[in-house]
Amino acid sequence: MNFTVGFKPLLGDAHNMDNLEKQLICPICLEMFSKPVVILPCQHNLCRKCANDVFQASNPLWQSRGSTTVSSGGRFRCPSCRHEVVLDRHGVYGLQRNLLVENIIDIYKQESSRPLHSKAEQHLMCEEHEDEKINIYCLSCEVPTCSLCKVFGAHKDCEVAPLPTIYKRQKSELSDGIAMLVAGNDRVQAVITQMEEVCQTIEDNSRRQKQLLNQRFETLCAVLEERKGELLQALAREQEEKLQRVRGLIRQYGDHLEVSSKLVESAIQSMEEPQMALYLQQAKELINKVGAMSKVELAGRPEPGYESMEQFSVSVEHVAEMLRTIDFQPGEGAEEETA
């Protein structure tokens, strides 16, 4: 069905009134705000009825006003900016009324009722019957049409209904659809919020487990360092004992060598004595001393291999292999924290 649009001439400030009317349209029902008008924390306005529809759709378990059960409030999102609106137990009835907007609506309606200041009227006109306004709706063809089309025209055999009736019905359906869509968006946003919380929890848990892992490996390193210190001390003690024994033998042999060397020197000097009588007076004693010195038994030398320290070798291959098997044990960290 084709139709044309006819306009009455613009009168006075009709353009400004149009602009004002656009600012007074509820984003839910797409009609001018109906009082009472409530203002949200984000400074956007809604009809209280529309706000309640959106709120009820987002909080199906919330008790309606007048119920004997005390509710803890609820929340929904502004359909204009998606800002989250948190309500107390009074629900949308706890929101502040925007008296300024209500007063503007009253003034607008008064001004709109004046002929000199009425906004430009527009009517859809039937193309087949140029003087007829579109005033009915063809339910069979699902298009607006005029009365003459129903009586004489293409829609004479169709089922029709008054245009305002279908207009209100479809506006109501669209409003309900918007409310459901807004509620669905709120549920999607709630899921997104939950998943963001899951991400934060994953980061927190990972950070905590990293700290525990570092602490346990630091403890393991401390045990290794402690054991290394104990083994080094045992090695140092054995080294000191062996060195003391060998150095004691060196001093003993050195003293013997010094005494023996002095005795040899004295014996050589005595042999150089030219007078036989003087020589014989000292010879007997020197012979006895040399004989006694040659018979002195010194302490035994260190046995072969005494200098070896191979007994202090450490095998760490099996320990290293065991360390390489360290792995995560699911549930173990949680049990230890609980304990």
Side-chain angles (χ1 to χ4, degrees), residues 104-121:
I104 293 175
I105 292 173
D106 292 337
I107 296 173
Y108 173 83
K109 289 181 178 180
Q110 292 175 5
E111 292 295 323
S112 298
S113 63
R114 298 179 184 179
L116 293 179
H117 298 283
S118 62
K119 64 179 182 178
E121 297 181 2

Side-chain angles (χ1 to χ4, degrees), residues 93-145:
Y93 293 92
L95 291 172
Q96 183 179 359
R97 290 179 62 177
N98 194 334
L99 299 179
L100 176 60
V101 172
E102 293 181 4
N103 291 335
I104 293 175
I105 292 173
D106 292 337
I107 296 173
Y108 173 83
K109 289 181 178 180
Q110 292 175 5
E111 292 295 323
S112 298
S113 63
R114 298 179 184 179
L116 293 179
H117 298 283
S118 62
K119 64 179 182 178
E121 297 181 2
Q122 66 177 31
H123 295 285
L124 294 177
M125 311 301 290
C126 180
E127 190 176 71
E128 296 182 9
H129 308 94
E130 296 181 356
D131 294 332
E132 288 295 321
K133 298 178 182 178
I134 301 297
N135 58 358
I136 60 174
Y137 187 84
C138 178
L139 298 176
S140 302
C141 301
E142 297 184 344
V143 293
T145 186

Side-chain angles (χ1 to χ4, degrees), residues 137-316:
Y137 187 84
C138 178
L139 298 176
S140 302
C141 301
E142 297 184 344
V143 293
T145 186
C146 72
S147 300
L148 291 182
C149 287
K150 169 59 180 171
V151 178
F152 306 109
H155 301 281
K156 62 182 180 180
D157 296 327
C158 298
E159 184 181 357
V160 297
L163 196 64
T165 301
I166 304 302
Y167 171 79
K168 291 180 180 178
R169 181 193 303 170
Q170 292 195 4
K171 272 222 170 181
S172 177
E173 291 177 0
L174 182 58
S175 178
D176 293 343
I178 292 174
M180 293 179 62
L181 186 60
V182 170
N185 290 342
D186 288 342
R187 288 190 289 271
V188 172
Q189 182 62 46
V191 173
I192 292 174
T193 301
Q194 290 177 354
M195 290 190 290
E196 289 175 347
E197 292 175 354
V198 169
C199 290
Q200 184 62 44
T201 303
I202 290 174
E203 292 178 354
D204 295 339
N205 291 340
S206 297
R207 188 181 306 109
R208 181 170 61 254
Q209 290 305 119
K210 288 177 182 178
Q211 292 176 351
L212 291 174
L213 188 62
N214 285 330
Q215 291 175 1
R216 289 172 181 175
F217 270 83
E218 288 173 359
T219 301
L220 188 59
C221 291
V223 172
L224 292 174
E225 286 293 329
E226 180 181 1
R227 185 55 181 162
K228 182 180 74 172
E230 293 173 351
L231 294 178
L232 288 175
Q233 288 179 359
L235 177 59
R237 286 194 299 270
E238 181 69 12
Q239 172 188 338
E240 187 63 24
E241 290 176 1
K242 288 189 174 185
L243 289 175
Q244 286 181 356
R245 180 188 173 191
V246 174
R247 286 169 180 167
L249 292 175
I250 290 174
R251 285 193 298 271
Q252 183 179 354
Y253 275 74
D255 293 342
H256 176 80
L257 179 61
E258 182 180 359
V259 173
S260 177
S261 297
K262 290 181 179 179
L263 183 59
V264 169
E265 184 179 354
S266 297
I268 292 174
Q269 290 178 353
S270 178
M271 290 181 66
E272 292 177 352
E273 177 62 42
Q275 296 183 13
M276 291 185 293
L278 186 58
Y279 168 79
L280 290 174
Q281 288 179 349
Q282 300 174 351
K284 186 63 175 178
E285 182 180 0
L286 286 173
I287 291 171
N288 291 334
K289 287 182 178 181
V290 170
M293 180 62 67
S294 61
K295 295 178 181 180
V296 171
E297 293 185 1
L298 298 175
R301 293 179 297 176
E303 58 275 10
Y306 182 77
E307 68 279 6
S308 175
M309 302 293 282
E310 292 298 325
Q311 69 271 28
F312 290 95
S313 298
V314 175
S315 176
V316 296

